[in-house]
Amino acid sequence: MISIFVPFDFSTTATYALNFAKSLATNYSKISITILHVVEIPLSTGVGTMGGGLDPIPDFENQLFFKELIDLRKKQLEALEKEYANSDFTLRTKLILGNAFKGISDAIHEAKPDLVVMGSKGTSGLEEIMVGSNTEKIVRTSPCPVITIKSETDVSTMKKVVFASDFRDSADEVASRIKRIQNLFNAQFYFVVVNTPGNFESTRDSMSRIRTFVQKHNFENIKAEVYNSLSEESGIIEFADDIDADLIAMTTHGRTGLLHLITGSIAEDVVNHSKRPVWTFKAN
């Protein structure tokens, strides 16, 4: 049984993610989909003379609205369960109260699904610098692979997959995950190294590392490429555009706190800015 979590806020992009998760049932005979919906508790921003922080809004009007919202979401989730009761996959729903990121993250770490599929609108500008999106945070912290979806995506058409890396780390776990993706979609893989002005090397050296990785792990149906760009993030997105890729696959190191603020994450940047689906998985 393949377990898939789909964080779901009833938005258009969340529906795209759910449709993608459902379509995976055509490739796997036994799939369990769990829809996670978080109702965020309304908070008061007022601070009294004695100090204090953010507290749940106590007034009756907001309490009544919050109760009505919970009742509505429960009915919507029950309707989804009934709609797919006789499907080729198992679908269940889970309602969580609290912060969206924490609720989703805690559920993922507790249940340990095989895959998370999330809709994403991406972020840019000040929002990206100061806050980032819930999707980006899940990509960074999830112990299992995450696929981010931004438009309606047909699993059956995923035949070109870009795996971007420097190929300096030939870990068995990374190779194993790539093969799972390749087998799932029966896809042509493009292994690409992005050359940048600040981190330049010869094509011969880059191609040598890719060949070593391919030979060590017995990959087949692989095309090796070296792509020149001003940054790794833009190079990955541009290369995927140039070959009209169906999916970008990347590893993320899951840095948090100060280290994340200093070094950032190429994978998270690609998730934010790519119009294509991105499959990320954490590399130890």
Side-chain angles (χ1 to χ4, degrees):
M1 179 72 75
I2 304 297
S3 172
I4 302 175
F5 271 26
V6 181
F8 197 79
D9 60 1
F10 295 93
S11 66
T12 301
T13 53
T15 301
Y16 294 152
L18 177 57
N19 290 342
F20 181 87
K22 292 187 300 181
S23 66
L24 287 173
T26 61
N27 296 64
Y28 281 109
S29 59
K30 293 183 179 181
I31 282 185
S32 169
I33 298 174
T34 299
I35 293 176
L36 301 173
H37 177 72
V38 180
V39 177
E40 297 208 53
I41 299 175
L43 299 175
S44 170
T45 57
V47 179
T49 56
M50 298 300 291
L54 300 177
D55 298 312
I57 296 177
D59 61 274
F60 177 77
E61 182 178 345
N62 280 290
Q63 285 184 359
L64 181 61
F65 169 79
F66 188 55
K67 182 181 182 302
E68 290 176 346
L69 178 60
I70 292 174
D71 290 341
L72 172 63
R73 294 308 190 205
K74 284 181 177 179
K75 290 178 180 178
Q76 290 174 314
L77 293 174
E78 288 173 0
L80 283 172
E81 289 186 350
K82 290 180 180 178
E83 180 179 355
Y84 298 108
N86 298 316
S87 300
D88 295 334
F89 52 86
T90 301
L91 186 140
R92 58 178 61 88
T93 62
K94 182 178 179 65
L95 181 71
I96 302 169
L97 304 182
N99 173 268
F101 165 67
K102 187 177 186 306
I104 296 168
S105 180
D106 287 350
I108 292 171
H109 280 81
E110 179 181 349
K112 298 179 175 61
D114 298 297
L115 178 68
V116 175
V117 182
M118 290 190 73
S120 173
K121 295 178 181 178
T123 55
S124 60
L126 186 61
E127 180 188 9
E128 180 178 4
I129 295 171
M130 300 301 294
V131 181
S133 65
N134 284 322
T135 304
E136 176 190 328
K137 295 173 187 175
I138 296 299
V139 165
R140 187 191 318 154
T141 60
S142 174
C144 67
V146 179
I147 297 182
T148 55
I149 303 290
K150 294 185 180 179
S151 60
E152 198 69 74
T153 304
D154 184 355
V155 170
S156 66
T157 65
M158 286 195 153
K159 299 305 179 185
K160 289 184 182 179
V161 179
V162 172
F163 176 62
S165 174
D166 60 11
F167 296 93
R168 298 183 189 278
D169 180 6
S170 59
D172 292 343
E173 175 62 18
V174 171
S176 175
R177 289 193 182 278
I178 297 170
K179 286 187 175 182
R180 289 176 204 167
I181 303 172
Q182 192 175 26
N183 292 334
L184 175 62
F185 300 124
N186 191 26
Q188 168 79 68
F189 256 71
Y190 292 76
F191 284 0
V192 59
V193 171
V194 176
N195 238 342
T196 64
N199 191 26
F200 179 81
E201 68 175 5
S202 70
T203 297
R204 174 179 290 184
D205 288 342
S206 296
M207 293 294 285
S208 175
R209 284 204 310 279
I210 296 176
R211 283 194 296 268
T212 298
F213 183 78
V214 169
Q215 292 169 2
K216 178 179 178 180
H217 298 288
N218 299 312
F219 278 103
E220 297 179 354
N221 198 20
I222 298 295
K223 289 187 177 180
E225 301 281 353
V226 176
Y227 193 86
N228 298 323
S229 188
L230 295 177
S231 71
E232 290 175 275
E233 173 215 323
S234 61
I236 294 166
I237 294 174
E238 290 163 4
F239 177 76
D241 288 343
D242 287 351
I243 68 166
D244 195 22
D246 302 303
L247 177 71
I248 298 172
M250 299 183 66
T251 59
T252 178
H253 293 285
R255 299 183 180 99
T256 58
L258 182 60
L259 186 59
H260 171 71
L261 291 175
I262 294 172
T263 63
S265 168
I266 297 171
E268 291 161 40
D269 288 341
V270 171
V271 165
N272 273 335
H273 302 135
S274 172
K275 64 183 180 182
R276 304 172 190 280
V278 182
W279 182 312
T280 57
F281 47 92
K282 190 179 294 185
N284 294 325

